[in-house]
Amino acid sequence: MSPFTAQQPVRRFAPVCHDISLAGELVGLHDSGALWWPDEDTLVVSDLHFEKGSSYARRGVMLPPYDTAATLEKLAGVIDAFDPSRVIALGDSFHDTNGSDRLPATYRAMLTTLQLGREWIWITGNHDPVAPVSLCGETMEEVRLAGLVFRHEPEEDAAPGEVCGHLHPAARIRRYGRSVRRPCFATDGQRMVLPAFGVLTGGLNVLDEAWSGLFPPRGFSVFMLGEGRLYPF
């Protein structure tokens, strides 16, 4: 059962994934933007960007202050669906180095509840290069498990099995005269870039020059997030 049932509604996710082979390991891509690795009972999310709204507010840019709550609610729904023994957060979990210190007590309690009874690994990112303040879990620069390595930013000439975030992949298609842009997974079967999981995050088109060199030209696939399913292209 979700720990938030009595406090706020949690979006219910079905534990159904689009299964693919990644460097010889079977992983599942979920329509929430999370990656599920059944053999390791591990759930992976990237770029949560907790407290982005409060970070902008400190600079005079006023955004609705509900992004952390909404992202926690989404995360709770996915954890409720899969009940993983391990969660890996692939960096930029907080929007700045003081983000975890600003985390309101209610949200801190929600996050602590999600962490109970499971291993929790915070990967450092460019927005949060230090360990989060007063939170459970282990902080690491990267994690290697079986045939996969988990880090925040993709590395040039990385060995097969890299799982990363940072780039917030998104794709655009045109159908029936309409243009649709959605976050997506991007992979060539050897490397995987996860979409940003946070609700207040943008996206970078996978055809942007910033992606050059990560995948062979026209040699990769994207899986666009939809409601209850993924759309592969």
Side-chain angles (χ1 to χ4, degrees):
M1 293 295 291
S2 165
F4 303 133
T5 302
Q7 300 177 28
Q8 60 190 73
V10 173
R11 177 182 171 186
R12 297 297 177 186
F13 287 101
V16 178
C17 294
H18 185 108
D19 293 335
I20 68 166
S21 176
L22 179 63
E25 299 288 341
L26 179 68
V27 298
L29 311 183
H30 192 254
D31 65 283
S32 65
L35 181 144
W36 172 240
W37 192 5
D39 286 352
E40 294 289 335
D41 199 21
T42 295
L43 186 75
V44 186
V45 293
S46 187
D47 296 275
L48 298 165
H49 283 271
F50 289 137
E51 292 304 297
K52 181 175 181 177
S54 66
S55 180
Y56 272 68
R58 296 175 73 193
R59 302 196 299 269
V61 180
M62 308 311 293
L63 297 173
Y66 311 117
D67 57 295
T68 296
T71 299
L72 276 170
E73 181 181 317
K74 179 182 174 186
L75 184 59
V78 179
I79 289 177
D80 187 60
F82 289 95
D83 192 22
S85 62
R86 180 190 295 117
V87 173
I88 300 176
L90 287 180
D92 286 3
S93 298
F94 293 87
H95 191 67
D96 58 51
T97 54
N98 298 315
S100 60
D101 200 29
R102 294 196 310 275
L103 199 65
T106 300
Y107 300 162
R108 187 179 296 272
M110 290 178 177
L111 182 55
T112 299
T113 302
L114 290 179
Q115 295 175 312
L116 290 175
R118 52 180 53 94
E119 182 183 3
W120 195 285
I121 299 174
W122 302 103
I123 301 293
T124 55
N126 57 297
H127 280 264
D128 54 356
V130 297
V133 177
S134 303
L135 289 177
C136 299
E138 186 176 4
T139 300
M140 307 176 72
E141 290 187 1
E142 65 177 41
V143 175
R144 295 179 182 271
L145 294 171
L148 302 182
V149 57
F150 300 88
R151 58 173 62 103
H152 179 59
E153 296 188 38
E155 291 188 353
E156 188 175 355
D157 300 323
E162 181 183 70
V163 182
C164 56
H166 180 62
L167 291 172
H168 298 205
R172 184 189 302 274
I173 62 168
R174 186 175 297 276
R175 297 189 64 187
Y176 309 118
R178 295 180 56 207
S179 179
V180 178
R181 187 176 189 274
R182 301 286 294 176
C184 66
F185 295 89
T187 184
D188 61 356
Q190 300 300 316
R191 163 187 273 157
M192 170 71 67
V193 184
L194 269 63
F197 193 88
V199 301
L200 193 58
T201 53
L204 179 65
N205 193 294
V206 293
L207 300 182
D208 188 272
E209 288 186 5
W211 290 86
S212 62
L214 289 184
F215 300 118
R218 298 188 178 275
F220 68 99
S221 299
V222 300
F223 297 83
M224 297 176 67
L225 307 190
E227 291 296 328
R229 59 168 294 185
L230 296 175
Y231 296 87
F233 293 94

